[in-house]
């Protein structure tokens, strides 16, 4: 349910929830995006941030040349959202914060 | 950047970060990073030695011995490898073996204080029979290479993580070192044979008063007597962050504007390898560590995005409880803006744009 709410935002390419070790719990992605790979990437980045910065919960936004990745960790689950660069990043962030 | 250099810097970063962790007493974190890095780069001998050292510091001497012994055949001439093998054997109660490795350490570097002390404690004649040149600490190729790498980024200040080179020793495969052509004997006095202040780390030209028959230059002149050995007090001398530092003075004005923002606590420029370059704003003692950590996160995320074919990572924001880190790539460097959690990242990025342009122009 949460995932669907996020993917309704314009220019959001997909969203998912994964376990700490990168296994998909739920996801909804447009064609061409590999949810499993994205979940694994999200878990890897979260793990690195937690280890390096010694934080309990990792939250990050990563801008690549193609897209923007939101990764937010909550209670043994990792939310991740991928959207286009011209999406309303602020709106996506607010929605994620609200849902998590 | 050539592929091999990319690989090398990626390899270096986890060892560097692990070394920072070890220096901070975070042994478990160091072991975790080293294991992770070695799983991707299993032939990285230096990392194996640091891992052995980490297990030694943890008190797991069996594991340390196992790793160091496995690594020994790859780097039998490594000073630190021999030293820690000596330490481990000593802890294991095998004094004869310990002495053997302490002797090997002193053979490689007759000035190694730790090995000397251990030999004295073990009541063994420590000094090797060879003539020893006084006041000449050994500097390894790797030390030189690391300083060179840092310089190559833009001929700016030397990296402030110099203590890492205590471990980043002779292990990397010998690569051709840039050598000055031998200079003909000149009339200069010989007194300046070992210039203590001179930061030239690479090659000493033959001493002026030496007989002319010696035409080959001495590889690696001892230059910085402060190269620390393991477990010695680390003489970290952070580069001053004063506004007039060369060649980053032109960053001062845009940085000042950025720092005027009340929610911005400070900023730092570091290389993607995690080496600090310059810092601004509030004085912090953890800037070296922060640079290494940001470099590690950047490299890890970049690896993931390369795997996902998402292109290069351009910038990222990390929300971290008491502060938010905005990291923006600028050529081969990273600008890290440390802000309060309630900051407006959009505003930070607007201010950062000018700084990024300057960094790109200055440092590439």
């Amino acid at each position: 349910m949460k995932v669907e709410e996020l993917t309704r935002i314009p220019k959001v390419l997909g969203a998912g929830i994964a376990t700490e070790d990168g296994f998909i719990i739920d996801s909804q992605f447009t064609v061409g995006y590999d949810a499993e790979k994205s979940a694994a990437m999200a878990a890897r980045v979260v793990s690195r941030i937690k280890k390096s910065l010694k934080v309990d919960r990792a939250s990050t936004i990563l801008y690549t040349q193609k897209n923007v990745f939101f990764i937010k960790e909550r209670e043994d689950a990792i939310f991740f959202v991928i959207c286009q660069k011209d999406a309303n990043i602020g709106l996506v962030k607010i929605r994620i914060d609200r849902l998590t | 950047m050539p592929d091999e250099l990319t690989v090398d810097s990626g390899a270096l970063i986890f060892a560097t970060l692990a070394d920072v962790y070890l220096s901070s007493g975070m042994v478990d974190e160091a072991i975790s990073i080293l294991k992770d890095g070695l799983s991707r780069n299993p032939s990285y001998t230096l990392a194996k030695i640091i891992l052995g050292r980490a297990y030694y510091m943890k008190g797991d001497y069996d594991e340390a011995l196992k790793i160091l012994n496995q690594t020994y055949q790859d780097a039998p001439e490594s000073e630190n490898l021999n030293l820690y093998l000596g330490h481990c054997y000593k802890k294991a109660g095998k004094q004869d073996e310990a002495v053997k490795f302490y002797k090997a350490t002193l053979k490689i570097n007759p000035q190694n204080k730790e090995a000397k002390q251990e030999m004295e404690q073990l009541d063994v004649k420590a000094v090797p029979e060879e003539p020893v040149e006084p006041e000449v600490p050994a500097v390894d190729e790797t030390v030189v290479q690391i300083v060179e790498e840092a310089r190559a980024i833009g001929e700016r200040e030397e990296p402030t993580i110099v203590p890492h080179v205590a471990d980043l020793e002779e292990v990397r495969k010998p690569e051709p070192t840039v050598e000055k052509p031998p200079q003909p004997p000149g009339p200069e006095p010989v007194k300046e044979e070992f210039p203590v202040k001179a930061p030239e780390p690479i090659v000493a030209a033959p001493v002026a008063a030496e007989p002319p028959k010696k035409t080959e230059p001495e590889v690696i002149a001892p230059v910085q007597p402060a190269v620390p050995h393991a477990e010695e007090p680390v003489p970290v001398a952070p580069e001053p962050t004063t506004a007039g530092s060369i060649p980053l003075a032109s960053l001062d004005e845009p940085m000042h504007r950025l720092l005027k923002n009340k929610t911005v606590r400070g900023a730092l420029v570091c290389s993607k390898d995690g080496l600090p370059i310059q810092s601004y704003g509030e004085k912090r003692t953890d800037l070296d560590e922060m640079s290494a950590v940001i470099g590690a996160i950047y490299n890890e995320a970049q690896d993931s995005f390369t795997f996902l074919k998402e292109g290069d990572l351009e910038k990222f924001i990390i929300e971290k409880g008491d502060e938010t880190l905005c990291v923006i790539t600028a050529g081969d460097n990273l600008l890290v803006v440390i802000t309060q959690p309630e900051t407006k990242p959009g505003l930070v990025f607007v201010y950062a744009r000018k700084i990024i342009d300057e960094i790109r122009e200055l440092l590439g």
Side-chain angles (χ1 to χ4, degrees), chain B residues 320-336:
Chain B
K320 167 183 175 275
D322 57 336
E323 59 192 14
T324 297
L325 306 175
C326 299
V327 185
I328 307 141
T329 59
D332 286 337
N333 307 289
L334 300 172
L335 169 67
V336 184

Side-chain angles (χ1 to χ4, degrees), chain B residues 6-276:
Chain B
T6 310
V7 169
D8 191 43
S9 73
L12 188 64
I13 185 65
F14 77 83
T16 308
L17 182 60
D19 198 49
V20 169
Y21 279 157
L22 279 184
S23 309
S24 313
M26 298 159 66
V27 179
D28 289 333
E29 284 84 352
I31 290 173
S32 168
I33 282 178
L34 288 163
K35 278 183 169 175
D36 182 46
L38 281 167
S39 68
R40 281 178 278 119
N41 206 342
S43 60
Y44 195 27
T45 313
L46 166 65
K48 289 187 217 167
I49 295 175
I50 299 178
L51 182 60
R53 181 184 156 208
Y55 275 115
Y56 170 79
M57 289 174 74
K58 195 182 177 186
D60 189 346
Y61 306 122
D62 290 340
E63 189 64 22
L65 262 179
K66 189 178 144 196
I67 291 164
L68 294 173
N69 273 324
Q70 281 170 358
T71 315
Y72 187 75
Q73 46 191 294
D74 297 330
E77 295 298 315
S78 163
E79 181 183 339
N80 267 359
L81 177 57
N82 280 286
L83 179 69
Y84 277 92
L85 273 168
H87 287 340
C88 290
Y89 277 119
K90 187 187 165 199
K91 291 283 183 188
K94 296 179 179 174
Q95 291 209 356
D96 291 345
E97 287 291 310
V99 168
K100 184 180 131 191
F101 283 106
Y102 287 138
K103 278 185 176 172
T105 307
L106 287 169
K107 201 172 176 186
I108 296 162
N109 175 17
Q111 303 298 310
N112 190 304
K113 285 182 188 169
E114 268 189 85
K116 272 185 183 174
Q117 283 173 1
E118 296 293 345
M119 293 283 275
E120 280 164 16
Q121 281 178 15
L122 293 168
D123 204 19
V124 181
K125 192 182 175 190
V127 185
E129 305 308 325
E130 304 159 10
V132 176
E133 294 195 13
E135 305 296 325
V136 184
V139 178
D140 296 288
E141 283 180 18
T142 313
V143 174
V144 172
Q145 285 165 1
I146 288 169
V147 174
E148 275 293 292
E149 277 173 21
R151 283 196 178 157
I153 294 170
E155 290 202 353
R156 51 185 181 265
E157 303 100 316
E158 290 180 23
T160 54
I161 308 187
V162 169
H164 302 159
V165 300
D167 277 323
L168 306 182
E169 275 194 12
E170 59 278 289
V171 184
R172 294 166 79 199
K173 301 293 177 196
E175 289 166 21
T177 312
V178 182
E179 296 185 359
K180 284 182 188 171
Q183 292 175 6
E188 293 299 316
V190 196
K191 292 285 181 186
E192 292 169 16
E193 194 173 1
F194 303 118
V196 175
K197 289 177 193 169
E200 294 297 331
I202 297 297
V203 174
V207 178
E210 276 185 352
K213 62 182 178 182
K214 189 176 180 182
T215 51
E216 284 192 0
E218 295 281 342
V219 178
I220 316 270
V223 174
Q224 298 182 9
V227 174
H229 293 289
E231 296 186 325
E232 277 183 12
V234 179
V236 185
E239 292 292 328
T241 58
T242 49
S245 301
I246 306 166
L248 301 175
S250 58
L251 286 181
D252 292 346
E253 192 203 329
M255 274 293 184
H256 186 64
R257 259 184 278 143
L258 172 70
L259 294 170
K260 265 190 191 170
N261 193 324
K262 282 177 189 170
T263 57
V264 175
R265 290 179 176 165
L268 68 98
V269 182
C270 64
S271 72
K272 286 179 177 174
D273 293 343
L275 297 170

Side-chain angles (χ1 to χ4, degrees), chain A residues 76-89:
Chain A
D76 300 331
I78 298 166
F79 284 78
F80 58 99
V81 179
I82 304 175
C83 63
Q84 292 175 11
K85 281 186 101 169
D86 55 350
N88 187 332
I89 308 293

